[in-house]
Amino acid sequence: VAPTAPFAWALAGVVAINGLSYSMYNRAIRSSDLSLVIPLLAFTPVWMLATSKWMLGESPRPASVAGILLIVAGTLALKPEGTRGILGPLRALADDRGARIMMAVALLWSITANLDKIAITATTATTYLIAFQLAFAVTFLPAVLQPARRQQIRVHWRGLVLLGTLAAGMWIAQFLALRLTLAPYVIAMKR
C-alpha cells in the first residue's frame, strides 16, 4: 500500500512530538526519583481515553475502561519501600517538577500512539515501521555524531545492538497490534 497524505502528516507528527517527549523524558528522570516519575507513564492509556476518541473516534467499552484503570492502579501499587505510598507519584505532581514533566510525556505519548495508528491504517505496519525508524534516525543523527556520543557507542555497542533488537521487536508487536484493536488497549498492555 502506497503512503498517503494522512500517513505523511502522521509520521511527521510522531517524529516531532517524540523528539520533544524524549527530551522531556530524559529531563524528568534526571531531575526526579525514578520511583515517582516512571509510574506516571502508566497514565498514557488513561489520556488515550480522551485523545483516541478525539483523534480516531475510538471509545472502549466500560469494562475495558475499568481494565485500563486497574492497570494504572497496579502500576502505582508496585512502589518500592520508602516511597510516598501508593499515591506517591500522584502526590509528587504538586511539588516535583520531574513528575509534572513525566505526566506531560504520558499525554504526548497518548497523541503519538494515535498518530501511529493513523499512519498504520493509511499504509502497512511494515512500511510505517521502516519510515518511522528512518525518519527518527535522520532527525537525531546530529546528536549521535557528537564525539562524546560516538565514544559511548564504541564502548557499549554490544548492549546497544541488544537493546535495538529488543526495541525493534516491541515496535513490531505494537504496530501489528494497533491494526487489530483499539489503540488504548494496545498501549495499556504495553504499559
Side-chain angles (χ1 to χ4, degrees):
V1 179
T4 61
F7 172 87
W9 67 257
L11 176 62
V14 166
V15 172
I17 294 170
N18 274 331
L20 172 64
S21 65
Y22 286 135
S23 171
M24 292 168 62
Y25 176 93
N26 287 326
R27 204 169 341 134
I29 63 173
R30 277 195 311 268
S31 66
S32 296
D33 184 341
L34 286 177
S35 68
L36 293 177
V37 296
I38 295 299
L40 294 172
L41 292 176
F43 281 89
T44 301
V46 174
W47 286 115
M48 289 184 75
L49 296 173
T51 61
S52 291
K53 174 114 176 111
W54 170 59
M55 296 174 72
L56 303 171
E58 294 183 347
S59 296
R61 295 179 314 223
S64 300
V65 171
I68 290 170
L69 296 176
L70 282 172
I71 289 171
V72 173
T75 301
L76 293 174
L78 295 173
K79 62 177 180 42
E81 290 300 317
T83 59
R84 302 180 192 187
I86 192 169
L87 297 178
L90 292 175
R91 285 191 201 112
L93 290 170
D95 61 358
D96 188 296
R97 185 171 187 264
R100 288 189 298 275
I101 292 170
M102 196 61 86
M103 186 60 90
V105 169
L107 173 61
L108 290 173
W109 284 356
S110 77
I111 295 167
T112 60
N114 292 314
L115 291 173
D116 287 337
K117 183 157 187 170
I118 290 168
I120 290 165
T121 303
T123 184
T124 67
T126 305
T127 300
Y128 179 61
L129 177 65
I130 292 167
F132 169 71
Q133 295 300 326
L134 283 173
F136 211 71
V138 168
T139 301
F140 290 96
L141 189 60
V144 173
L145 293 178
Q146 295 175 358
R149 298 283 167 112
R150 285 197 315 245
Q151 177 61 27
Q152 289 175 336
I153 292 168
R154 275 194 290 274
V155 171
H156 302 290
W157 71 270
R158 285 183 185 90
L160 291 170
V161 167
L162 175 61
L163 200 60
T165 303
L166 293 172
M170 182 270 307
W171 286 113
I172 290 168
Q174 178 181 334
F175 291 165
L176 290 173
L178 282 171
R179 286 196 69 92
L180 302 174
T181 190
L182 300 184
Y185 297 168
V186 174
I187 301 306
M189 293 307 298
K190 178 181 176 185
R191 294 287 165 242

